[in-house]
Amino acid sequence: MPSPSIRLYVGMVAAVLALVLVTIGLLAGVWVVFYGMLVVFGIRPAAHGAFVATTVTLLTIAYLEYRHLETIERLSDAHPVDRESAPHLYDVTTRVAAQLDVPVPTIAVSERNAPEALAVGFRPENVHLVLSLGTIRALDADELEAVIAHELAHVKNRDAMVMTVVSLPVVLADGLGSRLERIDEPSSESIVAAVVPFVAPIIGLVAAVVWIIGSAITARLSRVRERAADRTAAEVTGSPATLASALRRLDAEITDTPKQDLREVSGVSSLSILPLEPRELEKVMLGPEGDIEPSYWWLRTRLHRLQRWLFGTHPPTADRLESLAALERER
């Protein structure tokens, strides 16, 4: 049986190759639409014109999408700390960074009670390590070190760069879809509306298909990267059991966190060490007595579970604990 590290590597390669195919599919789909439009209008050479139109449209959408992204530090409402204001946190982070041979990140602390822990930054030398007070208070010293090791393992593995690059088809498809929804609005960003308003339904269908497939594959790759970061953190700290204990504590904290507080941090959920979102839909009973179940609740709950299975960015915590337990037994 292949080793876990080999399985992780194979899974990452397979996901990247699949995303390359999805990107090619998006480019081909939009090109076919433009090609058909140019043929209808008798414009020659149609192939060259379609290529130029496709390239300009998608590159412009990519630029607009990334330009509008908010910084994660702002989303997490964190403020930087230094050696004087947080000496223990600074010393632990410095030691782990040295063990992983990565630059010491800027440390930022969020005042929130939700257990956030994430490393943000495209390049290792510009990384911000964001921790919430909820995380710091919930963990003992060894567990906090294991969590920091997990986050800096993402830096070591250049996961931010990898995930940004491979998410390109999803960003493009999402940008196409959002601009098609504003097709009747007089906006300079309604690129597709201005160029090919009558083929919007076809492009919209292509974008929707690419978004679904690309998001599912990207989520799969993200889950593989989380497992790889777990393994790296366990090796650096020398104790898979400590990281498992930290995950168990943080998972319990998330369960106990009010759903309203979790919704406030949903913007950084995919980057945190554990997903910061309720596992199940919030059930609000209807009627004067509060005894009427919402319509089609059984269907909505199943669709929610399917969505988590397809698009979840983290492996189930129970699976991660099992893998860490296996590593502990190997030791």
Side-chain angles (χ1 to χ4, degrees):
M1 179 180 294
S3 67
S5 58
I6 293 177
R7 291 199 299 270
L8 287 174
Y9 178 77
V10 171
M12 285 189 284
V13 171
V16 170
L17 290 176
L19 283 165
V20 170
L21 294 176
V22 169
T23 305
I24 293 173
L26 175 63
L27 295 173
V30 177
W31 181 87
V32 167
V33 172
F34 283 129
Y35 183 89
M37 179 193 70
L38 292 173
V39 168
V40 168
F41 283 93
I43 301 175
R44 301 292 180 177
H48 296 165
F51 176 78
V52 172
T54 299
T55 302
V56 171
T57 299
L58 295 182
L59 286 179
T60 305
I61 288 174
Y63 167 75
L64 292 171
E65 288 297 299
Y66 281 115
R67 188 192 69 182
H68 285 127
L69 290 177
E70 295 181 271
T71 63
I72 300 299
E73 292 89 345
R74 194 182 310 139
L75 285 174
S76 60
D77 194 24
H79 60 275
V81 297
D82 53 22
R83 185 190 293 274
E84 287 70 30
S85 57
H88 175 70
L89 188 59
Y90 186 90
D91 290 343
V92 171
T93 303
T94 301
R95 182 172 66 253
V96 173
Q99 290 176 301
L100 287 168
D101 192 26
V102 298
V104 179
T106 299
I107 306 170
V109 175
S110 164
E111 301 290 338
R112 291 171 173 162
N113 291 321
E116 304 168 72
L118 51 147
V120 185
F122 191 75
R123 296 181 298 170
E125 56 270 23
N126 294 328
V127 166
H128 283 204
L129 173 67
V130 180
L131 299 169
S132 68
L133 289 180
T135 294
I136 296 172
R137 292 167 179 165
L139 305 176
D140 63 28
D142 291 338
E143 292 168 342
L144 182 60
E145 181 179 355
V147 167
I148 292 173
H150 172 96
E151 293 307 321
L152 295 190
H154 283 304
V155 179
K156 176 72 173 180
N157 299 335
R158 295 183 177 270
D159 286 341
M161 183 180 298
V162 171
M163 295 307 298
T164 299
V165 172
V166 301
S167 64
L168 178 61
V170 178
V171 171
L172 290 175
D174 189 55
L176 272 172
S178 64
R179 282 156 181 80
L180 286 171
E181 291 176 358
R182 301 194 298 269
I183 196 168
D184 295 327
E185 299 178 8
S187 169
S188 60
E189 291 185 6
S190 297
I191 302 165
V192 179
V195 179
V196 284
F198 52 89
V199 295
I202 302 174
I203 297 180
L205 178 61
V206 172
V209 171
V210 169
W211 186 92
I212 292 172
I213 298 175
S215 295
I217 298 173
T218 303
R220 165 68 180 177
L221 180 60
S222 176
R223 294 194 291 270
V224 173
R225 307 295 286 191
E226 289 295 333
R227 290 183 183 276
D230 282 349
R231 289 186 63 85
T232 302
E235 292 169 359
V236 167
T237 61
S239 176
T242 302
L243 179 58
S245 176
L247 293 178
R248 199 175 292 111
R249 284 181 187 269
L250 294 178
D251 191 66
E253 288 291 320
I254 293 172
T255 300
D256 294 338
T257 301
K259 290 182 173 59
Q260 180 179 350
D261 293 344
L262 292 180
R263 284 193 289 269
E264 291 179 358
V265 296
S266 61
V268 298
S269 177
S270 63
L271 297 176
S272 190
I273 189 169
L274 288 173
L276 302 169
E277 53 194 21
R279 292 185 181 85
E280 301 294 339
L281 288 174
E282 185 176 4
K283 188 175 184 179
V284 179
M285 301 299 286
L286 307 176
E289 305 297 330
D291 57 352
I292 301 176
E293 188 175 76
S295 301
Y296 302 105
W297 181 251
W298 62 272
L299 178 60
R300 292 165 61 185
T301 55
R302 283 163 176 77
L303 289 176
H304 177 73
R305 291 168 187 166
L306 176 62
Q307 180 183 5
R308 286 178 59 87
W309 180 74
L310 283 175
F311 306 125
T313 55
H314 295 66
T317 304
D319 291 353
R320 296 171 70 178
L321 295 177
E322 184 178 340
S323 298
L324 290 169
L327 285 177
E328 187 68 31
R329 288 193 295 271
E330 291 176 8
R331 292 177 55 82

